[in-house]
Amino acid sequence: MDSNQISPTLSQGMEHISKILGPASKASIPDIIAMVIAAVVASVYLSRGIVWDKPDPYAYTLFERPQQQEGAGGVKALSDAQKRDERNIAKRMAETGKTLVVFWGSQSGTAERLAAQLAKECQLRFGIGTLCADLSDYDPESISELGSNHIAIFILSTYGEGDPSDNATGLWDWMQNTTAAGSSDEGPRLANLRYGAFGLGNSNYKNYNRVIDVTVAFLDNSGAKSFVAVGKADDAERSTEEDFLSWKDSLFSVFRTDFQYVEKVVEFQPTMAVIEDVSLEPIDLHHGEPTHAADNNKKGAAACSQIQTLGIKNARELFTSTNRHCVHMELDLSEYPEMNYKTGDHLALWPSSPSNEVELLTQSLGLQRKMDTPLLLKSLDSSNVKIELPSPTTIRALFTCYLEICAPVSRSTVEGLAQFAPNPEAKAFILKLGQDKQAYSTYLTHTHVTLGRLLSLASNSTGRWSKLPLEFVIESLPRIQPRYYSISSSSVLSPRRVALTALVASDPLPKNPQVVINGVASNYLLALMKAQVPIHNLAGIIAPEYDLAGPNGSLAQGQKLYAHIRRSKFRLPTQSTCPIIMIAAGTGLAPFRAFIAERAKLHNVGKPVGQMLLFFGCRRPEEDFIYQNELLQMQKGLDNGKESLFKIVTAFSREQNSPKTYVQHRVNEYGTDIVRLMEEEGANLYICGRATMAREVSSILGDFLIQTRRWNDGQAQNWIQDFRKRGKWREDVWG
């Protein structure tokens, strides 16, 4: 029906209505039309989902992985029962015919790497069918279904204040809930389970290796039997690799004697294939752009933003000395409206490797002409090995952006290099270091042993390690990780600009001061600062060189960097009137700069704010008292006429003609004020800096309570733990 037909029909209809209603109704015809239209619209709307626009009951499949959809390669979506079976470790072991499972819980990748190495070595050395298992891939309660013919090994890291890694939170919650439920008949029965355990931690932290301790206690209380002594690594002593090797020797000894496994000589067998594929175009490759591990699907990824290229603003040097450096840098978020932060959050920086280390490793391997050859990385054992590195890629991207080529080489890796030595002299040198723990330890005190340096030194810079497979190099080096910095700006005052404060690490070896270990990320920031500031303002700065252009020129010759935001629980109190006590040394001042600035702004606009007490320590006031003028200016603005709402207590460890004073000493002096503020006025206490400093502050406050109240150590610790549990004592510390 066309428009010419519609008009007469409508007109006739309206005449009919007029006759029925009579002359008195003519004036209301427009109202009647409106009512009819409204009724039709309402009827159509109310019939939605019944008559028309019915929801698709299978719409949810659009959000599933393609391989789980009907018609995607012929694979049907998994049923709930199938999904449970996929996450059942006992059924997985039975399906694959494995005897040993190595569970790992890893935050930075070290525990994951050690677990993969152990699983591979158990398979090759003893012929044990071994599964390397990410704890987040399996339901923890299915561990109770493992039989007496199975062996389980747990390699678990502890980070922060005794927290499990993100991928181990499922196991952690299961253990906590099961323990809380008590020893009922419905609880897990692990009497058939034989297990071994190794923990990774840092003794500078109060809860050193807490995760493995809790796990072992749970397993023992559930009837499981340990067949080897628990091993623990201590990153504070930089002995993680050696601690693991010692524990592994004990484990293998049990395999030989108690389990009667026959040991074989092991030669390198790759778990991945590196395939050159010149048919790939540059657009197909990963050139060094960083990615979150496992495509950002791991638990805990919700706490992180996407990785972006952020423009650098207002880069400047904070120290006045010429031999030590501290970088202040602000990053522009204005291009990414979805990217935001809160005061107290962390900024994650993705660095690249220094150009000289990339060149040294490339030359040692004789790969200079293959730097940009396209490479495909493929797992040869998908049940045990997941390729976390982006693929396809290039050697340039691997060595510059994806692998920690500046990481120290473990003794086991050194020993494994011997079979690929370019000449007998190099082989003898490598074997001596790899097989002799004392020789290796002594060597480390005089030389920073990166892979490139070791290969060059072993061959006296004359031989090329052309027999060394690229697969060995990739499997031996950890994946490069982001470095986290406490944000030193307030999201209230600077919502679209994030500030970071970084001490540049350049530490000489104690036995050989001519050799310096440069922090990869902090020196990268220093190089970026040099690109921002005219060189005459940075006289005397000597630092490693970096490729500041970035992958495919994405970083605009050092005008940008790759970064993301990570959420933190290090927050100001909700009530601005709540007093705060802040304890920091060095760049630990960063988040407190933001805290104080935010409170100062509230005070300036007439809002009430609570008392602020800052303890700050550095070497000398004239050298490394960062943000000193800012703090003094804010202190002046926070003067309410009677007294300042903001008090600064300083501690200088190397001031001329004065004894060494650290923040923990000043905390002891002000113990009465701290305890009063916390108990009587509900103050929050914050500590930011090295874990050793935080531990000593806790110890000193405990001693203060013991001395002044005649408490015992247990009572003092309970006092501190109570404030921790209530969120009134918070720490943002590093090793």
Side-chain angles (χ1 to χ4, degrees), residues 569-619:
K569 295 180 181 178
F570 203 70
R571 294 274 190 263
L572 274 168
T574 305
Q575 298 295 326
S576 64
T577 53
C578 177
I580 56 175
I581 302 160
M582 300 161 284
I583 304 169
T587 53
L589 180 63
F592 300 143
R593 174 183 184 251
F595 284 12
I596 298 161
E598 197 164 305
R599 283 266 176 111
K601 180 64 175 179
L602 289 173
H603 177 71
N604 289 340
V605 298
K607 298 290 185 182
V609 297
Q611 179 74 35
M612 291 180 286
L613 179 59
L614 170 68
F615 294 88
F616 174 69
C618 62
R619 292 187 178 185

Side-chain angles (χ1 to χ4, degrees), residues 531-640:
Q532 306 291 317
V533 183
I535 193 65
H536 63 267
N537 289 344
L538 297 172
I541 287 186
I542 301 173
E545 298 293 330
Y546 291 81
D547 175 17
L548 299 183
N552 281 339
S554 58
L555 301 182
Q557 296 297 327
Q559 301 305 304
K560 296 182 176 182
L561 55 74
Y562 284 109
H564 73 267
I565 305 293
R566 183 178 71 178
R567 303 298 175 212
S568 167
K569 295 180 181 178
F570 203 70
R571 294 274 190 263
L572 274 168
T574 305
Q575 298 295 326
S576 64
T577 53
C578 177
I580 56 175
I581 302 160
M582 300 161 284
I583 304 169
T587 53
L589 180 63
F592 300 143
R593 174 183 184 251
F595 284 12
I596 298 161
E598 197 164 305
R599 283 266 176 111
K601 180 64 175 179
L602 289 173
H603 177 71
N604 289 340
V605 298
K607 298 290 185 182
V609 297
Q611 179 74 35
M612 291 180 286
L613 179 59
L614 170 68
F615 294 88
F616 174 69
C618 62
R619 292 187 178 185
R620 303 178 184 89
E622 67 279 1
E623 177 185 316
D624 54 359
F625 192 159
I626 58 176
Y627 304 119
Q628 181 178 14
N629 292 334
E630 285 185 30
L631 291 172
L632 294 175
Q633 192 67 31
M634 286 189 286
Q635 186 179 43
K636 198 176 292 184
L638 284 161
D639 193 330
N640 63 4

Side-chain angles (χ1 to χ4, degrees), residues 98 100 116-131 252 255 261-272 380-381 384-385 419 472 475:
K98 306 293 187 183
L100 170 64
Q117 290 177 0
L118 180 63
K120 178 182 176 181
E121 198 167 352
C122 289
Q123 184 92 36
L124 296 177
R125 189 179 294 274
F126 296 99
I128 309 171
T130 307
L131 181 68
F252 288 173
F255 281 171
Y261 288 131
V262 178
E263 190 171 7
K264 298 177 289 187
V265 176
V266 176
E267 292 185 355
F268 174 68
Q269 292 187 23
T271 59
M272 68 167 65
L380 297 177
D381 182 3
N384 271 333
V385 180
Q419 59 192 298
F472 183 96
E475 291 184 27

Side-chain angles (χ1 to χ4, degrees), residues 392-419:
T393 186
T394 63
I395 291 172
R396 186 184 305 278
L398 285 171
F399 289 177
T400 304
C401 301
Y402 293 141
L403 294 173
E404 292 273 15
I405 67 170
C406 293
V409 185
S410 69
R411 188 162 56 87
S412 59
T413 298
V414 174
E415 186 176 2
L417 286 168
Q419 59 192 298

Side-chain angles (χ1 to χ4, degrees), residues 178-190:
T178 303
T179 301
S183 56
S184 67
D185 292 337
E186 297 178 358
R189 305 297 297 174
L190 302 181

